[in-house]
Amino acid sequence: AQSVTQPDIHITVSEGASLELRCNYSYGATPYLFWYVQSPGQGLQLLLKYFSGDTLVQGIKGFEAEFKRSQSSFNLRKPSVHWSDAAEYFCAVVPSGAGSYQLTFGKGTKLSVIP
Amino acid sequence: EPEVTQTPSHQVTQMGQEVILRCVPISNHLYFYWYRQILGQKVEFLVSFYNNEISEKSEIFDDQFSVERPDGSNFTLKIRSTKLEDSAMYFCASSGSRNTEAFFGQGTRLTVV
């Protein structure tokens, strides 16, 4: 069964510092890959997605993610974190091609930002 | 910007009661989903719905659950007889096709007492 691992449960960074959130997946073929963000009391907002093509994808709010097939990873990055980025971040995958469209989520990484 | 809307934002119900969670997906979307997130746990898939029928469901989606698209705009999740363990945030989502991203609503927090 496919799975998504986000090894960091909680990360704290200073405002203005760079950020990298890790995501590894386990799946037979390259799935579609997503990062969602959930602010306190809010729903899930899509930050970016990877379906195919350029392995470095740009998203909203200055985020980017790089797909590395050899490492089965899809890490999320931001060069300079803002206080408003404090939220929980979820990596998710769905099988590519025909068939299931169940999103499988990681457990999430909670980001705290120190002013 | 089009969005998925869910009502109510918070519902408290007594164990054994029926609840209906409502969702209005993005208007031109064809695929609809329900997910849930128990407090402190990961978001889990419940069911997907396409062409007026369930296309996939998880083990969580047992006979107590049902979904319906009663008209051209609403998509509902019914829990027939709620249990304490049904307490969770329930997210509705929709997508335009299989190969595009799903957009999520703000969620309905269900509390069963």
Side-chain angles (χ1 to χ4, degrees):
Chain A
Q2 61 194 59
S3 65
V4 178
T5 302
Q6 293 180 247
D8 303 305
I9 297 172
H10 191 181
I11 286 182
T12 300
V13 300
S14 298
E15 192 169 17
S18 64
L19 171 70
E20 181 168 30
L21 302 183
R22 295 181 290 166
C23 172
N24 292 91
Y25 65 90
S26 173
Y27 191 65
T30 299
Y32 297 151
L33 299 152
F34 308 86
W35 275 98
Y36 285 88
V37 61
Q38 184 181 28
S39 298
Q42 301 297 310
L44 295 163
Q45 181 182 23
L46 179 72
L47 282 176
L48 45 76
K49 61 186 185 285
Y50 174 79
F51 284 5
S52 65
D54 192 345
T55 56
L56 184 64
V57 293
Q58 301 298 319
I60 62 171
K61 305 184 180 185
F63 285 92
E64 66 177 27
E66 185 172 14
F67 167 60
K68 293 185 177 180
R69 186 190 308 273
S70 61
Q71 298 177 18
S72 296
S73 69
F74 189 56
N75 294 348
L76 181 71
R77 300 194 295 247
K78 186 169 185 178
S80 178
V81 169
H82 188 263
W83 64 267
S84 60
D85 293 325
E88 189 149 23
Y89 292 79
F90 294 93
C91 182
V93 305
V94 70
S96 58
S100 171
Y101 199 75
Q102 297 184 30
L103 276 164
T104 299
F105 284 84
K107 290 187 175 181
T109 298
K110 183 177 181 180
L111 174 66
S112 297
V113 181
I114 301 172
Chain B
E1 184 176 329
E3 59 180 16
V4 176
T5 57
Q6 292 184 243
T7 55
S9 57
H10 191 185
Q11 175 140 10
V12 180
T13 189
Q14 287 196 322
M15 189 169 56
Q17 295 297 304
E18 175 184 286
V19 294
I20 298 176
L21 309 183
R22 303 182 189 278
C23 170
V24 179
I26 294 173
S27 62
N28 61 347
H29 283 184
L30 301 175
Y31 295 78
F32 314 111
Y33 316 89
W34 285 100
Y35 288 78
R36 80 171 185 190
Q37 184 183 30
I38 294 172
L39 189 63
Q41 298 186 24
K42 65 169 69 177
V43 178
E44 302 172 290
F45 170 81
L46 292 179
V47 66
S48 61
F49 191 87
Y50 170 71
N51 201 25
N52 283 321
E53 62 182 21
I54 291 173
S55 46
E56 291 180 279
K57 59 182 181 179
S58 70
E59 293 176 351
I60 304 167
F61 194 88
D62 62 22
D63 292 345
Q64 294 297 314
F65 292 87
S66 62
V67 290
E68 191 178 32
R69 189 156 161 81
D71 53 43
S73 60
N74 291 286
F75 179 51
T76 62
L77 174 69
K78 181 190 292 185
I79 308 175
R80 187 176 310 131
S81 177
T82 50
K83 304 187 284 283
L84 294 176
E85 53 265 37
D86 293 327
S87 295
M89 180 75 90
Y90 287 82
F91 292 106
C92 174
S94 68
S95 64
S97 73
R98 278 206 73 259
N99 297 321
T100 57
E101 63 271 28
F103 291 85
F104 284 76
Q106 298 288 76
T108 293
R109 180 165 296 285
L110 176 65
T111 303
V112 182
V113 297

